[in-house]
Amino acid sequence: MDSARSLSYKNKGKGTIINLEQGKIPPQAIDLEEAVLGAMMIDKKGVDDVIDILHAEAFYKPAHQFIYEAIFRLFENSEPIDLLTVSNQLKKDEKLEAIGGDFYLINLSQKVSSAAHIEFHARIILQKYIQRKLISISSEIITNSYDETMDVFDLLDEAETKLFDITQGNLKKSSEAAHNLVTQALKKIEEISNQEGMSGVPSGFSKLDQLTSGWQPSDLVILAARPGMGKTAFVMSMAKNMAIDFDMAVAIFSLEMSSVQLITRMISSETGISSEKLRKGNLETYEWEALNVKVKKLSDAPIFIDDTPSLSVFDLRAKARRLVSQHNVKAVIIDYLQLMTAGSSTKSSGNREQEISTISRNLKALAKELNVPVIALSQLSRAVETRGGSKRPLLSDLRESGAIEQDADIVSFIYRPEYYGLTEWDDDERTPCDGQAEFIVAKHRNGGLENIRMKFIGRLAKFANLDEGFETEFQSSMNAGQISPDNFTSANDAFGHLEKDDDVPF
């Protein structure tokens, strides 16, 4: 028996013998590391195949890490890679003796005759490295979990950040051939033709859907406005449309309002009973009947609301991934971006602008990873208020970071002239703007720009298509049996004149 394996430990109390071969060593593939490095030094194709798969830390043996670093440096400088150039680079780095000299390099080059299967070997090396990192992270988590002074939520955030870093740093998507991509594109076009041009998730606002063909998968959509313009009301109206009218699951992450407050708004929008009445509970008999009938649709709707405050982008990623996997969520809504945090990795470094940049970049990455539209609300700077004229928002008004505009596929604004005491639109017709809002598409990476006017019903915290009037909503209530002709007068009082409503703060 090998002398190393013959080592053992005897427990004097129980007489148990533990052999060294029963111990554990970190996952590794030294023979494959040698084969990969040898192939890279004798065949340029080997370098091209694995240079974007491996990194120095993926190698278990320190000598192999030094050799790979030398090869990588030569590759970066567009210099030839062979036994002599690698040896020379290691001399420059003062690492040649540490790896065992030229003799060790020669041995590596003799272990292989070609770069065949080098990519397969490299992926095994990477798998072993990921296993080692998982073991290391797990050990740290176990150690820190015994530390009573550590905050458990900081511990969770740190653990998730480290796991996320492993995923981002090692699981890279390879390129696809044009043939496969064309096939996928044709299939997508065929599916769209059967859906009357609606390739994404419909918002329920007809003119907006005509412009965008629905919110597209993997798009980051920014919806910005000053406080009180109706950002939350718009996305809640949109979420209701998606879930009730189109039966598409929606996830809402509310960092500002509680989940009960949000669902109360949706109840108000769906039933036509004002939010104030619902808060006070002063409902007439017919209103209770309307509430019981219409709230059934909302209770069955696939809407998922998470009101965790100060949500980090890493927590959001984990939660959204679970919702998409478990409930087939088709759109993710975040209210709002500036209330998010980038996580523990950026708490001690950088300023707020850099943190917002990190958040917006990660939201775009999340949209691509989950292949769903991510719709994030954002605040505008006070520059809008100090500007003269109509105070119509501009891209330069986005608060705290230009990265938001850069990362987003669509940047849109909500603008209500009434908010600034204006009574007419600033167009040639000078049409009245009472009870109206404008959805401004200021950036559209894959389409045109447009200003779309909508109806705004303040006391119901609701947006609707401009051609939807009071009669449409009232008639639908009559058809549903919520309102009878006998109580027409009281019903009219309850709904009010929908185009003259007072605003509500949100």
Side-chain angles (χ1 to χ4, degrees), residues 333-365:
I333 296 172
I334 301 158
D335 183 14
Y336 58 91
L337 187 147
Q338 279 81 8
L339 291 179
M340 292 186 68
T341 63
S344 60
S345 60
T346 57
K347 282 179 183 175
S348 60
S349 63
N351 54 32
R352 180 59 179 166
E353 183 175 343
Q354 291 172 329
E355 189 174 20
I356 292 293
S357 299
T358 300
I359 292 169
S360 67
R361 189 166 57 248
N362 278 280
L363 290 182
K364 175 58 183 174

Side-chain angles (χ1 to χ4, degrees), residues 137-152 155-156 159:
I137 291 170
S138 301
S139 298
E140 284 183 42
I141 293 171
I142 292 169
T143 301
N144 292 335
S145 296
Y146 281 106
D147 186 351
E148 296 290 342
T149 64
M150 283 202 70
D151 183 270
V152 67
L155 183 61
L156 282 170

Side-chain angles (χ1 to χ4, degrees), residues 23 31 76 136 164 180 184 207 233 249 272 297 309 319 364 388 399 410 504:
D31 53 342
E76 279 186 316
S136 174
F164 174 69
N180 294 333
Q184 292 176 33
K207 289 188 177 178
K297 276 200 225 173
K319 290 170 181 279
K364 175 58 183 174
R399 187 174 168 186
I410 295 176
V504 293

